[in-house]
């Protein structure tokens, strides 16, 4: 199998419980909730995405076979203990599979994924972050962290607390009303302490 990749780059994880950790980001092209074209945003199943996942023209983007893709990830990591790769998108679970996970493990990587949860996670992942989007059905209801972008319609936060995750994170919706979103997220955490406030630290410090 070959994989359509938008970009691959070395950075710091900016979100969630692993924020601040060095990581190679492997961004797959394509998503099942939005085409990525602005003219389709208003009618998309997810309307607030802030990521360019269209095409294969980003840094180190292209179409890769599994072993070559794992080699590129390892090359970008370079030296250093606790190698981490974060598979993201778009929707990474449209492409990521056990063969690629095995190839990354063979090169010593801890393999994390950031997914909208509409696709079941393959076996072998070391860290699963699910971020539900609107009223779309979530089939992956277990993992390490559930990250709820807030506010958004079609989701009851109280219902999500019944899912099988170790950490529950509220992340304010970025955009022109970000201050209102921040206050709404804080209010939710204050009312229900099982939630934890999360912020996009990479945006605060100017990293991709």
């Amino acid at each position: 199998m070959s994989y359509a990749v938008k970009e691959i780059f070395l950075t710091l994880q900016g979100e969630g419980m692993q924020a601040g950790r060095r990581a190679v980001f492997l961004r797959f092209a394509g998503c099942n909730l939005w085409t990525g074209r602005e003219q389709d945003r208003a009618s998309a199943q997810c309307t607030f995405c802030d990521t360019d996942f269209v095409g294969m023209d980003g840094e180190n983007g292209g179409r890769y076979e599994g072993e070559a893709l794992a080699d590129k990830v390892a090359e970008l990591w370079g030296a250093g203990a606790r190698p981490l790769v974060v598979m993201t998108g778009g929707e990474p679970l449209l492409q990521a599979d056990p063969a690629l996970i095995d190839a990354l493990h063979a090169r010593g990587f801890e393999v994390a994924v950031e997914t909208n949860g509409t696709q079941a996670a393959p076996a072998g992942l070391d860290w699963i972050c699910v971020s539900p989007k609107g009223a779309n059905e979530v089939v992956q209801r277990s993992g390490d962290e559930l990250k709820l972008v807030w506010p958004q319609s079609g989701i009851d936060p109280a219902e999500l607390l019944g899912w099988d995750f170790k950490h529950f994170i509220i992340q304010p919706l970025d955009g022109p009303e970000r201050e209102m979103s921040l206050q709404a997220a804080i209010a939710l955490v204050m009312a229900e302490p099982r939630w934890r406030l999360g912020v996009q630290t990479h945006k605060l410090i100017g990293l991709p």
Side-chain angles (χ1 to χ4, degrees), residues 181-203:
S181 298
L182 174 59
Q183 294 307 315
I186 291 172
L188 199 154
V189 175
M190 294 300 290
E192 174 47 80
R194 282 180 289 178
W195 290 106
R196 176 175 180 157
L197 183 69
V199 296
Q200 295 178 296
T201 60
H202 57 293
K203 292 184 178 180

Side-chain angles (χ1 to χ4, degrees), residues 87 93 96-98 101 120-125 128 140:
M87 300 191 298
L93 295 189
D97 60 2
I101 295 168
L125 291 167
I128 299 174
Q140 184 62 43

Side-chain angles (χ1 to χ4, degrees), residues 6-201:
K6 173 65 180 184
E7 59 184 350
I8 320 170
F9 55 93
L10 180 66
T11 186
L12 299 182
Q13 169 63 282
E15 301 177 358
M17 298 301 296
Q18 302 208 70
R21 187 173 170 187
R22 176 179 167 183
V24 175
F25 266 64
L26 167 55
R27 188 180 309 284
F28 291 95
C31 184
N32 59 328
L33 300 184
W34 180 39
T35 64
R37 298 191 300 262
E38 283 302 321
Q39 60 265 37
D40 299 330
R41 184 185 288 272
S43 59
Q45 294 170 278
C46 173
T47 60
F48 56 83
C49 183
D50 60 358
T51 303
D52 178 9
F53 54 81
V54 177
M56 298 179 286
D57 58 345
E59 181 180 357
N60 298 303
R63 185 167 289 280
Y64 290 82
E65 298 298 322
E67 294 295 322
L69 182 52
D71 283 342
K72 174 56 71 172
V73 170
E75 175 190 328
L76 291 172
W77 176 265
R82 297 184 68 215
L84 171 67
V85 58
V86 179
M87 300 191 298
T88 186
E91 176 43 56
L93 295 189
L94 295 174
Q95 298 189 63
D97 60 2
L100 178 58
I101 295 168
D102 287 347
L104 291 164
H105 279 157
R107 289 155 179 81
F109 277 87
E110 179 181 341
V111 182
V113 71
E114 297 180 347
T115 172
N116 60 35
T118 61
Q119 313 294 310
L125 291 167
D126 302 298
W127 187 272
I128 299 174
C129 172
V130 173
S131 182
K133 301 299 191 296
N136 298 287
E137 182 181 5
V138 174
V139 299
Q140 184 62 43
R141 299 190 175 193
S142 63
D144 296 278
E145 63 182 16
L146 187 142
K147 181 179 66 182
L148 176 60
V149 178
W150 191 252
Q152 57 171 308
S153 60
I155 291 181
D156 177 4
E159 178 184 343
L160 303 186
L161 290 172
W163 295 1
D164 185 16
F165 288 87
K166 299 173 185 175
H167 309 283
F168 293 87
I169 298 170
I170 292 286
Q171 182 171 291
L173 176 64
D174 197 8
E177 297 181 338
R178 60 175 60 89
E179 181 59 32
M180 184 181 71
S181 298
L182 174 59
Q183 294 307 315
I186 291 172
L188 199 154
V189 175
M190 294 300 290
E192 174 47 80
R194 282 180 289 178
W195 290 106
R196 176 175 180 157
L197 183 69
V199 296
Q200 295 178 296
T201 60

